[in-house]
Amino acid sequence: MVMRILLEPIVRAALFEDLGRAGDITSDAVVPADAMIEAVIVARQEGIVAGLDPALLAFELLDPGLAIDILAADGSTVARGQRVARIAGRARPVLAAERTALNLVSRLSGVATATRSLVDAIRGHNAKIVCTRKTTPGLRILEKEAVRLGGGANHRFGLDDAMLIKDNHIALAGGVAEALRRARAHAGHLVKIELEVDTLDQLAEALAVGVDAVLLDNMDPPTLRRAVQMVAGRAVTEASGRITRETAPAIAAAGVDLISSGWITHSAPILDLGLDIA
Amino acid sequence: MVMRILLEPIVRAALFEDLGRAGDITSDAVVPADAMIEAVIVARQEGIVAGLDPALLAFELLDPGLAIDILAADGSTVARGQRVARIAGRARPVLAAERTALNLVSRLSGVATATRSLVDAIRGHNAKIVCTRKTTPGLRILEKEAVRLGGGANHRFGLDDAMLIKDNHIALAGGVAEALRRARAHAGHLVKIELEVDTLDQLAEALAVGVDAVLLDNMDPPTLRRAVQMVAGRAVTEASGRITRETAPAIAAAGVDLISSGWITHSAPILDLGLDIA
Amino acid sequence: MVMRILLEPIVRAALFEDLGRAGDITSDAVVPADAMIEAVIVARQEGIVAGLDPALLAFELLDPGLAIDILAADGSTVARGQRVARIAGRARPVLAAERTALNLVSRLSGVATATRSLVDAIRGHNAKIVCTRKTTPGLRILEKEAVRLGGGANHRFGLDDAMLIKDNHIALAGGVAEALRRARAHAGHLVKIELEVDTLDQLAEALAVGVDAVLLDNMDPPTLRRAVQMVAGRAVTEASGRITRETAPAIAAAGVDLISSGWITHSAPILDLGLDIA
Amino acid sequence: MVMRILLEPIVRAALFEDLGRAGDITSDAVVPADAMIEAVIVARQEGIVAGLDPALLAFELLDPGLAIDILAADGSTVARGQRVARIAGRARPVLAAERTALNLVSRLSGVATATRSLVDAIRGHNAKIVCTRKTTPGLRILEKEAVRLGGGANHRFGLDDAMLIKDNHIALAGGVAEALRRARAHAGHLVKIELEVDTLDQLAEALAVGVDAVLLDNMDPPTLRRAVQMVAGRAVTEASGRITRETAPAIAAAGVDLISSGWITHSAPILDLGLDIA
Amino acid sequence: MVMRILLEPIVRAALFEDLGRAGDITSDAVVPADAMIEAVIVARQEGIVAGLDPALLAFELLDPGLAIDILAADGSTVARGQRVARIAGRARPVLAAERTALNLVSRLSGVATATRSLVDAIRGHNAKIVCTRKTTPGLRILEKEAVRLGGGANHRFGLDDAMLIKDNHIALAGGVAEALRRARAHAGHLVKIELEVDTLDQLAEALAVGVDAVLLDNMDPPTLRRAVQMVAGRAVTEASGRITRETAPAIAAAGVDLISSGWITHSAPILDLGLDIA
Amino acid sequence: MVMRILLEPIVRAALFEDLGRAGDITSDAVVPADAMIEAVIVARQEGIVAGLDPALLAFELLDPGLAIDILAADGSTVARGQRVARIAGRARPVLAAERTALNLVSRLSGVATATRSLVDAIRGHNAKIVCTRKTTPGLRILEKEAVRLGGGANHRFGLDDAMLIKDNHIALAGGVAEALRRARAHAGHLVKIELEVDTLDQLAEALAVGVDAVLLDNMDPPTLRRAVQMVAGRAVTEASGRITRETAPAIAAAGVDLISSGWITHSAPILDLGLDIA
């Protein structure tokens, strides 16, 4: 669960973006100031709920007096038509926060649902689905949480919390071994090092120096299987590259520990959720 | 083109999110401080470019000394493999900005490309594709620009720049006519009023009072056609509701002025763009 | 009523500006920490109250434990000596917020009172008094609200919520007709277009192309009357240029819909309000 | 001169307020991207210029490529029709910054001009005109500078840089002497103490304890004269209370050191300045 | 006591710095969400408590539901092992705020304790210990408060609330007398002027012009004594330069009013405080 | 080297804190606007330079026109009297930035110098000196860099980039093994886990489950030696608890990999650096 102190700046900024200078001029004109409302957030399709906390915070920030009940908590699987939350109180703030709240919860539920679809695709294998840094600018911590709610695990959160040596780093360092040596020399004792390899030769070179994890990029399942055998438990193995529900099972069957997918954060369609007035 | 003063806070925040506290610890460890690089942003699939300005600003904010050339400007159609921009200079800032830049340009190009696909689907008709407020929190002005670059037009930017009276407003006001009267009484002389109608009876009621635009929600093409005839040029007509490439042509053929799509902003897959080292 | 979430950053910044680093060093030295006070905001001259919400928020932000009562709500006409609000509780925060609160409410009440004076001057005519973008930097949304509380209406809130084509735009576009055509081609369907005209020839040209509103700048009443006749209801008519209580009635009598005044926001004297200890 | 690092947040916020989300949609639609312009800020009435620095910074922030020349620096007396500054370059940023720039320079020049009118009214006397904390929220440092440019001097900048003991403090402390003693006990050695007195008895009590300055509130000239005699150079004397051009000379003649006016900041009409295209 | 509105931005920033993107991942993994805790802040050495307000605010900002009791208020002398505050409630927010809170209270208590050690060293003399502007960037108002809690007094808070003319100013102005004359000409009536002198000749020159305070820099006690005699009460006298517990008594005995120390803010060791679980 | 984009917000805030509202009123009064200066930052005692980048940025932010030369880069050992940097240009901005710059560089050089003193104390042993999270609120990234410049290594940067299971976590989890299991279940594949142990029994329990690093808290050298033997290379070993120059060598000789010190960041005295005018 993302702490409220971390959620608040994101939700506040989202509200400011929608309210602009003059606020909700339609509701201010059309809806009486004292009109009361009871609204429910309803799933319009089946999926996994995520982002309910920031969505409900949007209502609360506009009116702390609203009564808010969670009916299907973050991480729940909801059926089409199922009610996810109820908001009751003054109508104007409910309507003013509606779009901001739905934009948050539907996008994040989309991420969770997409994650779950990959998780389900490899069920029975040891591999875990992990996300990448291909997230929406400004929403990374929420999308990382949505991945976890969908059953996936998190890769690093940014450039600063682990080392991931990629092809360009290797080229600029003059090879896998030298890149790894430099990384090891600079890394703090609580910083792990992962290295992206494109070939089994690179993998052999990396294992000779030692590494915490290897990112096996765009390898086919037979190559992955050989890579896993070469690693032999000395490093975490991660497969990446155009992962889909169709390709994932064979990749998982190759024995890798992790399968990383950019798609679950950068291209997942939203989960359709709406606000109905009771 | 979005003014730089409006882009900068968004791009700066996106960089902070990725750099965290310690910055790009991998490049700092592995890449020499004086290593130089020439990098190109390359399209890995065909589509429309959008968001190049904020993407390139990410590089510039980390190192104003980088040489940056645009090879395929925002709005261009690019082929798979086509080079979009070139960045040359110190390697560390290029690598540190890479993911932030790609996250911006690939997401926004995805929005432009999705928009274009709908625009192409209705080519030959008078209707325009317009976006909604179902945008990514924090990125609305960029996504609105991407929609324009894809050939679409913009709906309102927020709750404050036009009135859009929806079903809940109508219910709380006690009917279409009363809602419109209240809106008109409060609206400034430069504020337009649009009303969402679900039935032709509601449409008739709205036209009797007068309205700038009507949102015809979830009507089938024959009903839309009758609605357009009823309106007879007295208001702008907008059709909405689960618009796809397949359904759009018939809706456009019904004669509406606008077809609005949430999908182009909330669920468009990214356009795959990568950074290659020359 | 401006939403609290929009008020808060303005009031918080105003308090920071006055408190500086060390806060209210006089009260901290002279007034015991546990001293209690009952204070009233009192009108020292007759006028219209506006800005009470942000003013009272200043007290609340310094001490949520203060008891605050509104005695004459925003929009009220108050007589000299009339009590507008009562604040009771710890003395130090009341004294620390006093000047910030009074600066807000007296300035905004000044705007409302000035607006009302023009509204009263044209009572009996159809014209409405509207404001401009000649507002105090940082306080626009508050001053727009004050104009409404004084009986006026709002012009656009910024450069982005409507198009207003002025003399410089016309010159750079190469004429009224071309400017209007370009505007229409770019404007979203919920964006209105107003055009400033200096002559009746320009007005004729504008009407030929079509426009939502015309700003008749610095025309004398007879010319305004002819302009209104030419428009014949096809556009909203707005008169501007050195509007005073003396000149306004004749301008209103010319039949324009709107009379815009920069003076009500940029040069209105404050309404004198003070804080008395009960 | 206010340092640029202090000006920039104010001007940036003022631009954001006017640009909103979409920026200057009129100029973007009507003015070609490559159109060039030469504009001059012109005084439309006689007065003292102030606020040119922040006004010109508005242009520079939107386009650092603009050529900007100051023709009549801050503090200059300008005649009607006199050119104050010239801005040349791309037309769109010039038009987008125009209103923000003029709002700043016209308001601040109004403050300087009002100050000068009082300064002129008491010319020949020793008294100086000083401002108060009755400034526009958010603009205090600019208005204080404008007062100086108009020939006035500055009172304290906030609650924290000097002590000013007012009637409410005295009441809560239990008398003039006790209030002064507490103030002295808490004040740092670089903090001055001023005390507001309503009667000559209070003045005598204050002088007995010792004080850096006395604020003689709402006294008539004869009383002021007696107060000045009583003080006999032991404290700075400041007169306040509804100061006008008419009342100021007699007050100055009474021999006070300072005459403070809230009107010069809270109610000064703007100086009319416009932007003309050459 | 520093107002909460001034504390909050500092504490919030400190929490963000420690929480990073993902928050307290250890507690989230290891401690059940519903685990309750009772924690006490305990002094691990004798000293003066300061900074308890911001420290406790760190807990409150993470969870307003925590029960917080102050056992030894700011300014108290605490013995080794003494309990300073108690925090009870959900375990996760307590553990997440722990380090931020302790960093604040231990540093500020260190400042107060260091101040007290100097205050004690000169007990019996008239001199007061004062701080300087050699404070920790970002924490000045808290450190100034800690100095007061330790029994010291505050020098100016920044460059803007008093004038302090130093050697470089004198050199650039062309001498002590000219520097003082310029200062006096520009200073508002509530701005005091202090001048740093290195020699008794400079002191004589300053006294001839008149000055509020003199900073006697790096003078030995006999010279200080002569300086105090020369001043003869016409200015506040401040001694500075490598003040220690050993040198302070002789300096105080020389009769100066103030002894300023940078050490108490820039190099005071922390007071060791820890968080124990009851 | 900390990226400029990360430095700038810290330095800007530090300048605002010192400049307050009115800026450097002494220099503005006393120093002519066109006076030029050449200043050098000089070490007044021997030590290691750190923080020169943010210090020099303070000058640059106030005047980009200043000529700035680094004479002894970050990480250099400087002798007493050695010149560290030279700043030439307009006198006013140099004087206005002086204290902010010196506060930064002297504090951070103090951290680097303290670190070096511990590094030197254990020279010849394998152990490295590492810092903790006991840093100055707001300055963590700068202090972490200073530790590296002094020859130390960095522990985690915050609560979110690695897991450190401490005594309270263990108590709340119900034991070492259960805490470690929970941590492992939640940790991403690039997140390392360290566990604090107070006894060798706890150490044995941790090693049985497996852990990346162990924090051996407050153990004497013989116990540490046995702990290192028990670990036998299966985890990184870190000793902590009241480390001084005197105690460090024996601890290092016990064979631990890391010795962590809070003192180097929370209580290091500054390195005395001054600004001299050439």
Side-chain angles (χ1 to χ4, degrees), chain C residues 29-46:
Chain C
V30 171
V31 178
D34 59 356
M36 304 301 279
I37 212 175
E38 184 175 332
V40 283
I41 298 180
V42 178
R44 306 231 188 279
Q45 62 181 126
E46 186 188 325

Side-chain angles (χ1 to χ4, degrees), chain D residues 2 4-5 8 19 55 82 93 103 117 159 171 188 203 233 247 258:
Chain D
V2 180
R4 188 194 160 103
I5 201 173
E8 199 173 317
L19 293 170
Q82 189 171 336
N103 283 353
S117 76
L159 287 164
L203 176 59
T247 60
L258 306 170

Side-chain angles (χ1 to χ4, degrees), chain A residues 172, chain B residues 28 31-39 59 62-67 87-96, chain F residues 1 3-4:
Chain A
L172 286 158
Chain B
D28 286 351
V31 178
D34 58 358
M36 304 300 279
I37 211 176
E38 184 176 331
F59 292 103
L62 289 198
D63 185 355
L66 296 173
I87 303 103
R90 294 196 304 122
R92 283 185 184 174
V94 173
L95 296 175
Chain F
M1 211 174 93
M3 296 183 100
R4 187 193 161 103

Side-chain angles (χ1 to χ4, degrees), chain A residues 1-6 8-9 140-141 148 157-161, chain E residues 12 15-16 19-24 28 61-62 90 92-93 96:
Chain A
M1 212 173 91
V2 181
M3 295 181 101
R4 188 194 160 104
I5 200 173
L6 299 175
E8 198 173 318
R140 184 169 289 168
I141 61 170
R148 292 194 301 273
F157 273 64
L159 288 163
D160 64 326
D161 54 344
Chain E
R12 200 175 283 270
L15 286 168
F16 285 144
L19 293 169
R21 281 170 299 240
D24 183 359
D28 286 352
L61 286 175
L62 289 198
R90 293 195 304 122
R92 285 184 182 175

Side-chain angles (χ1 to χ4, degrees), chain A residues 31-36 90-92:
Chain A
V31 177
D34 58 357
M36 304 301 278
R90 293 196 303 123
R92 284 184 181 175

Side-chain angles (χ1 to χ4, degrees), chain B residues 43-250:
Chain B
R44 306 226 189 281
Q45 63 181 125
E46 186 186 325
I48 310 294
V49 177
L52 202 49
D53 276 353
L56 296 177
L57 185 54
F59 292 103
E60 185 189 335
L61 285 176
L62 289 198
D63 185 355
L66 296 173
I68 297 178
D69 297 301
I70 295 177
L71 306 176
D74 274 353
S76 309
T77 302
V78 288
R80 186 176 173 192
Q82 189 171 336
R83 303 181 346 152
V84 173
R86 195 174 54 101
I87 303 103
R90 294 196 304 122
R92 283 185 184 174
V94 173
L95 296 175
E98 172 184 353
R99 179 54 27 224
T100 298
L102 291 177
N103 283 353
L104 286 162
V105 70
S106 60
R107 174 171 301 268
L108 295 165
S109 297
V111 170
T113 303
T115 303
R116 179 66 56 88
S117 77
L118 284 186
V119 167
D120 286 344
I122 62 166
R123 207 166 289 280
H125 297 285
N126 279 328
K128 282 197 248 183
I129 298 297
V130 295
C131 54
T132 65
R133 279 169 44 245
K134 297 179 179 178
T135 56
T136 309
L139 302 182
R140 184 169 288 169
I141 62 170
L142 301 182
E143 292 185 348
K144 294 273 181 183
E145 163 94 344
V147 166
R148 293 195 301 272
L149 290 166
N154 290 156
H155 215 292
R156 59 179 180 162
F157 272 64
L159 288 164
D160 64 327
D161 54 344
M163 287 191 185
L164 178 46
I165 304 171
K166 303 221 259 187
D167 48 0
N168 291 332
H169 296 109
I170 294 170
L172 287 158
V176 162
E178 177 60 17
L180 270 176
R181 272 190 290 266
R182 290 183 190 171
R184 197 160 293 265
H186 283 81
H189 73 285
L190 291 181
V191 174
K192 286 199 175 177
I193 301 170
E194 181 165 356
L195 182 105
E196 176 185 326
V197 295
D198 298 322
T199 66
L200 297 182
D201 283 352
Q202 284 185 317
L203 177 59
E205 194 178 350
L207 291 170
V209 181
V211 68
D212 293 303
V214 285
L215 174 56
L216 307 163
D217 196 35
N218 276 318
M219 293 183 179
D220 57 19
T223 313
L224 284 172
R225 191 174 304 270
R226 287 184 49 206
V228 171
Q229 288 166 344
M230 285 172 62
V231 171
R234 285 174 292 168
V236 171
T237 52
E238 173 187 352
S240 75
R242 319 234 164 212
I243 306 300
T244 66
R245 282 182 62 82
E246 287 66 40
T247 60

